[in-house]
Amino acid sequence: MEEKKIRLLDIQFAKFLGVRSALTGDENRNFQDLICKLSMSLAAGDSCYPLNAAEENLVQRSGLCGEGLQPLCVFAGYLYLQRLFQYEKQLAAKVVQMSAEPVELVAQGSFLERLYGGQDPEDLQRIAAEKALQKNFLIISGGPGTGKTTTVVKILALLRNASGKDLRVAMAAPTGKAAMRLQDAVAGSVQNLPLGDREKDDFPVQAATLHRLLGVKRYSPFFRHNANNPLPFDVLVVDEASMVDLALMSKLADALRPGSRLILLGDKNQLASVESGTVLADMMKALPENTIELEKSYRFDKDIKQFAEAVNGGNGDAAWKTLQDDSPEHISLLSEDAAAYGGEVYSRYMKLASRAASMEEYKALFPMLHSFKILCTMRKGRAGVAGINERVEQVLTGKGYDCRRSEWYHGRPVMVVKNEYSLDLYNGDMGICLMDPESPGEVKVWFERPGDILQGILPGRLKSCETVYALTIHKSQGAEFEEVLVVLPENESSLVSRELLYTAVTRASKTVKIKSSHSVFQRAVSGKIKRYSGLVELMAIAGEA
């Protein structure tokens, strides 16, 4: 589904391997063409490229294909870079090993009944908890509001009860915003558990990004924690697991100590990771006995849920009809200009920001800012992030909030777009540029930190930040907003898929507005992303070994 465009990098990489191959003439040119296609596929998110028999024979005779230090590998009719094949192979072996480990914990007394009440055989949350007692590897999948966080909190309580000891528990997510959401959700759910005050106070609620958890080595693809220096935890919970790419998931699994438990939470229908692989969906397909799919929605607006299901099911006619109907009121087409509407909504935020002068008032800006977001499918163009952000600032300036006089104006919302290891900031972290209450005339960019505190950083120290009235749908993963405005391209594009639209729609808890023509919307709903991967086959082989 993804539009694969040839890049100079693809061409040069193909030439690099071509001159080092044993092939000559037309065979060498055909070989370079295959390498170019492989490179393009990797850029589009595939972990490999499918070959026919003649192409496979050609690659095998190139002198660059095989085990060890050879750069290429062929498996099950797929052409790999050796590095990605080893990631898939390593991940498959580790996960299959964990799923086969014989473990059995029994809850003490009537604790399971205290958590779940009656013996409802259809209670999928309870079934997930019972599986967690029997499995070292568990996937809990479900759409927004299906209770994934509530389920895992009860699972952690159950594991702590059944183990008879203080379990070392860690929780993580791919982005800072997702980690903060996980932490807040867990802290809220703990208060509803049938536990004493001391047990609730001791309950693990801290969450970190996966990069922070594994320990980043600056300017290195490796982490401090690995097979030789494993993570010191008995249980690891990872939220928004659909966002985790092949390389990171492989390194995470490799860093788990023997006997530890891994619980993955995610929505298989969301966009896959920006980088290679569809890891969560592949593992669910390969290990259905280790997977629970929650279905009942507890807090998600039912109309948005039905609309999202129509999009996910490829039913464009039903979804478009919902947008055009007067009811439901929380889902509609936007007739006016997207930037004009966004500027009107954000003017309420800017009004509050212009009056804020203390840390407590600064803290109140964050939930207001995160209550609404414009989500775009592209970065460039009038309907892209850059164009929308610029035009929203123009609207706000017209309302008296001068967003053009200085880049770092009071109230400017920003997103970190590259990891800033020295500042403990990571791609996707959001902050607000505000005057420093303790240094009149000086601005800082303030970021939310655990413990309900804000950290202020001088703008000059931030190397890669962007204005974030609007952001791409990819960047919105792991976040939740009360209202989203989804802006689709002005012209049909194969880059827009149902997974992209589904992900955007499910970022909203209360209201969804869509800015799109009928033809562009239908093209989006009808398009489905397909990524090439050999992880399912490798897991099957690992299970037979």
Side-chain angles (χ1 to χ4, degrees):
M1 177 64 206
E2 296 190 17
E3 195 174 86
K4 299 174 183 176
K5 295 182 178 180
I6 191 167
R7 305 164 300 166
L8 181 60
L9 175 63
D10 305 320
I11 297 170
Q12 293 301 323
F13 180 59
K15 288 181 178 179
F16 177 82
L17 290 185
V19 298
R20 287 160 176 78
S21 77
L23 303 170
T24 59
D26 288 343
E27 285 193 332
N28 188 279
R29 283 186 285 274
N30 291 337
F31 173 75
Q32 288 192 38
D33 185 53
L34 282 177
I35 299 303
C36 201
K37 291 176 180 177
L38 170 64
S39 183
M40 292 164 62
S41 292
L42 299 183
D46 299 323
S47 58
C48 50
Y49 180 75
L51 301 175
N52 59 37
E55 291 170 337
E56 182 172 341
N57 178 265
L58 181 69
V59 172
Q60 295 284 13
R61 292 189 292 107
S62 70
L64 300 176
C65 180
E67 296 290 335
L69 298 178
Q70 297 287 18
L72 302 176
C73 177
V74 173
F75 168 75
Y78 292 119
L79 174 62
Y80 282 88
L81 286 184
Q82 187 74 238
R83 175 177 59 88
L84 290 178
F85 178 72
Q86 293 303 322
Y87 281 145
E88 280 196 357
K89 186 178 179 181
Q90 177 178 292
L91 177 60
K94 180 71 174 187
V95 169
V96 168
Q97 175 196 343
M98 291 182 68
S99 66
E101 287 173 345
V103 292
E104 184 75 42
L105 291 176
V106 179
Q108 299 176 21
S110 60
F111 192 71
L112 187 62
E113 300 307 318
R114 287 167 58 195
L115 285 176
Y116 289 97
Q119 298 271 357
D120 182 1
E122 302 298 323
D123 187 348
L124 293 175
Q125 290 193 16
R126 178 177 178 135
I127 294 172
E130 291 171 341
K131 272 185 177 286
L133 293 174
Q134 305 161 6
K135 307 283 187 181
N136 273 347
F137 178 75
L138 182 65
I139 299 174
I140 301 174
S141 179
T146 50
K148 295 187 293 294
T149 305
T150 301
T151 300
V152 84
V153 167
K154 290 184 177 180
I155 285 174
L156 292 177
L158 193 61
L159 290 174
R160 285 159 63 92
N161 172 271
S163 67
K165 63 178 183 179
D166 289 333
L167 292 178
R168 293 168 295 179
V169 177
M171 297 186 295
T175 67
K177 188 63 181 176
M180 190 169 294
R181 276 192 59 216
L182 174 62
Q183 182 171 299
D184 291 343
V186 168
S189 295
V190 167
Q191 300 308 312
N192 298 321
L193 291 177
L195 301 175
D197 290 341
R198 184 172 180 178
E199 291 176 294
K200 289 180 180 179
D201 291 340
D202 292 339
F203 203 92
V205 298
Q206 295 296 318
T209 64
L210 287 171
H211 286 79
R212 289 186 180 110
L213 183 79
L214 289 170
V216 170
K217 288 185 176 181
R218 194 181 299 184
Y219 311 123
S220 170
F222 303 106
F223 294 102
R224 288 196 297 271
H225 288 289
N226 50 44
N228 296 321
N229 181 31
L231 292 163
F233 302 111
D234 301 303
V235 183
L236 173 59
V237 176
V238 179
D239 197 14
E240 298 291 348
S242 65
M243 297 172 61
V244 184
D245 62 76
L246 172 62
L248 184 55
M249 187 68 81
S250 180
K251 293 171 184 177
L252 175 68
D254 189 50
L256 296 174
R257 69 178 188 82
S260 61
R261 278 176 159 80
L262 176 61
I263 302 173
L264 302 179
L265 311 178
D267 184 349
K268 67 174 183 178
N269 296 316
Q270 281 190 31
L271 279 169
S273 60
V274 176
E275 303 296 333
S276 297
T278 52
V279 181
L280 183 70
D282 286 348
M283 291 193 295
M284 289 177 64
K285 184 177 180 180
L287 295 172
E289 68 277 9
N290 293 74
T291 299
I292 287 291
E293 294 192 57
L294 304 179
E295 299 171 352
K296 182 179 178 181
S297 181
Y298 293 90
R299 62 170 173 79
F300 201 51
D301 182 273
K302 65 179 180 63
D303 295 321
I304 297 179
K305 180 176 183 291
Q306 291 173 356
F307 179 71
E309 288 174 345
V311 169
N312 186 52
N315 194 341
D317 291 337
W320 186 256
K321 185 176 184 301
T322 300
L323 290 174
Q324 291 186 307
D325 287 347
D326 292 334
S327 179
E329 60 179 322
H330 298 304
I331 306 172
S332 61
L333 276 173
L334 182 72
S335 57
E336 62 187 285
D337 179 74
Y341 179 81
E344 187 63 39
V345 176
Y346 279 122
S347 67
R348 304 165 202 163
Y349 154 77
M350 287 298 290
K351 181 178 181 180
L352 188 64
S354 66
R355 297 174 178 176
S358 68
M359 295 307 297
E360 288 304 312
E361 291 173 327
Y362 284 4
K363 290 177 184 178
L365 292 176
F366 282 87
M368 188 171 188
L369 176 65
H370 297 323
S371 66
F372 170 75
K373 198 62 67 183
I374 304 172
L375 304 182
C376 305
T377 61
M378 305 178 299
R379 289 188 52 78
K380 298 180 180 180
R382 180 178 172 82
V385 168
I388 294 290
N389 277 326
E390 182 179 1
R391 291 194 291 130
V392 167
E393 287 184 326
Q394 291 173 355
V395 173
L396 292 174
T397 298
K399 291 180 176 291
Y401 307 105
D402 194 348
C403 305
R404 314 297 293 173
R405 182 176 56 186
S406 169
E407 177 186 9
W408 297 103
Y409 57 85
H410 185 81
R412 180 193 176 199
V414 299
M415 172 182 279
V416 176
V417 295
K418 288 185 180 179
N419 295 337
E420 300 272 9
Y421 301 119
S422 62
L423 301 176
D424 200 25
L425 291 174
Y426 295 86
N427 190 353
D429 288 350
M430 294 187 194
I432 303 176
C433 181
L434 298 162
M435 292 292 178
D436 187 346
E438 297 181 358
S439 301
E442 184 175 80
V443 298
K444 287 185 177 179
V445 182
W446 301 88
F447 293 89
E448 293 177 298
R449 294 302 198 191
D452 192 33
I453 63 174
L454 296 182
Q455 179 188 10
I457 297 175
L458 292 171
R461 299 185 66 194
L462 297 172
K463 299 175 183 177
S464 301
C465 271
E466 294 179 354
T467 303
V468 70
Y469 296 108
L471 71 160
T472 62
I473 296 170
H474 278 93
K475 291 284 189 182
S476 75
Q477 286 182 273
E480 180 182 294
F481 312 100
E482 290 183 10
E483 178 183 351
V484 298
L485 167 57
V486 185
V487 182
L488 297 187
E490 296 176 339
N491 301 308
E492 294 182 32
S493 170
S494 61
L495 294 175
V496 185
S497 66
R498 73 179 64 163
E499 292 91 344
L500 196 71
L501 185 54
Y502 172 87
T503 300
V505 168
T506 54
R507 297 309 88 209
S509 61
K510 293 183 179 179
T511 304
V512 174
K513 293 186 184 297
I514 306 285
K515 180 64 177 179
S516 175
S517 67
H518 179 244
S519 61
V520 169
F521 182 85
Q522 289 287 8
R523 175 65 184 266
V525 176
S526 64
K528 188 168 178 61
I529 294 174
K530 176 176 174 56
R531 285 188 173 181
Y532 293 110
S533 162
L535 184 58
V536 174
E537 290 89 342
L538 282 165
M539 292 180 73
I541 292 173
E544 295 169 358

